[in-house]
Amino acid sequence: MKIFAIGMNYLQHNKELDGALYRTEQPVIFTKADSSLLKDKKPLFLPEELGRIDYETELVVRICRLGKGIPQRFAHRYYDAVTVGIDFTARDLQRKLRDAGQPWDLCKGFDGAAAIGEWVPVEKFRDIQAIHFHLDINGKTVQEGCTSDMLFKVDELISYISRWFTLKTGDILYTGTPAGVGPVSINDHLEGWIEERKVLEMNVK
């Protein structure tokens, strides 16, 4: 099982990171270790040595069949469910790695860095590019997004990634975070929502 993730896929998030609205020429792809997957309401234990840990709430897509070199017009056949996930990020470390031009593995792929909620079949939605999602922490909404604001759409991402990686059943794709990221603290209670359906619930310890 592979965990793919997309960086800088919402204009306003790019601005909050770098102070400017911009679109990258190609999707920014990175991967997370399979040991970073956090599911079934298990808590995130904050790794003290990594400093500030930020939440990044995202729509996550589940791959449902084998594919390589997938044309964009057929990409919708290769996923069957979506959920809300949290791409936990060691923010201070990420800044150091970016400044040094180094990979993001340490700040993005540590244990527990890929929280994931309950899967919802895609047929429950009219359009995968019109899904609203949000994150509540301690009962207060802290981040909201809509997939219509993605710079690179889901089918584009599936097609692009499959140029270099063979997609397999069970692989998952974090599609990028909108603006509104922020730090988590010990004892925080997190709830992730797709439309009016709560699909993710977990604590920080």
Side-chain angles (χ1 to χ4, degrees):
M1 186 268 292
K2 299 185 291 298
I3 303 173
F4 297 101
I6 308 301
M8 297 177 284
N9 201 26
Y10 287 81
L11 276 177
Q12 294 298 328
H13 174 60
N14 296 349
K15 183 177 181 179
E16 74 179 350
L17 278 185
D18 297 323
L21 297 171
Y22 65 93
R23 173 190 172 113
T24 58
E25 291 186 9
Q26 301 289 348
V28 175
I29 310 293
F30 60 94
T31 59
K32 289 173 172 275
D34 58 2
S35 59
S36 68
L37 194 64
L38 189 65
K39 57 183 180 178
D40 301 326
K41 298 185 178 181
K42 293 180 180 177
L44 171 69
F45 291 94
L46 286 184
E48 294 182 5
E49 66 277 10
L50 292 181
R52 170 174 161 166
I53 303 296
D54 279 8
Y55 58 82
E56 296 190 6
T57 314
E58 314 194 6
L59 186 85
V60 183
V61 175
R62 182 175 70 189
I63 303 301
C64 64
R65 61 191 294 187
L66 185 73
K68 178 72 189 287
I70 302 165
Q72 186 176 323
R73 66 184 183 277
F74 296 136
H76 66 279
R77 301 178 181 177
Y78 288 82
Y79 53 88
D80 65 351
V82 298
T83 190
V84 164
I86 304 176
D87 167 21
F88 286 111
T89 303
R91 186 67 69 201
D92 296 336
L93 178 58
Q94 184 191 36
R95 291 192 180 101
K96 292 179 181 178
L97 293 172
R98 289 185 70 189
D99 290 345
Q102 296 177 357
W104 294 2
D105 300 61
L106 293 178
C107 68
K108 291 283 194 177
F110 56 89
D111 287 355
I116 198 166
E118 167 195 348
W119 294 109
V120 182
V122 291
E123 56 262 28
K124 297 289 186 181
F125 304 96
R126 176 181 56 83
D127 182 355
I128 196 170
Q129 295 302 158
I131 297 175
H132 292 84
F133 58 96
H134 69 273
L135 177 70
D136 293 352
I137 297 183
N138 304 326
K140 178 182 178 181
T141 298
V142 296
Q143 190 176 21
E144 300 178 85
C146 182
T147 56
S148 62
D149 294 328
M150 287 181 180
L151 298 175
F152 298 98
K153 308 305 183 185
V154 172
D155 289 358
E156 291 179 80
L157 296 172
I158 296 291
S159 178
Y160 183 81
I161 292 171
S162 73
R163 295 184 198 175
W164 292 278
F165 296 92
T166 298
L167 298 180
K168 296 183 178 182
T169 300
D171 288 348
I172 60 177
L173 170 62
Y174 285 68
T175 57
T177 193
V181 303
V184 292
S185 303
I186 292 175
N187 296 324
D188 279 348
H189 181 67
L190 280 59
E191 297 173 302
W193 300 74
I194 289 183
E195 302 293 350
E196 301 303 317
R197 179 170 181 167
K198 182 165 68 173
V199 294
L200 182 150
E201 187 169 6
M202 59 174 293
N203 296 307
V204 178
K205 294 186 176 181

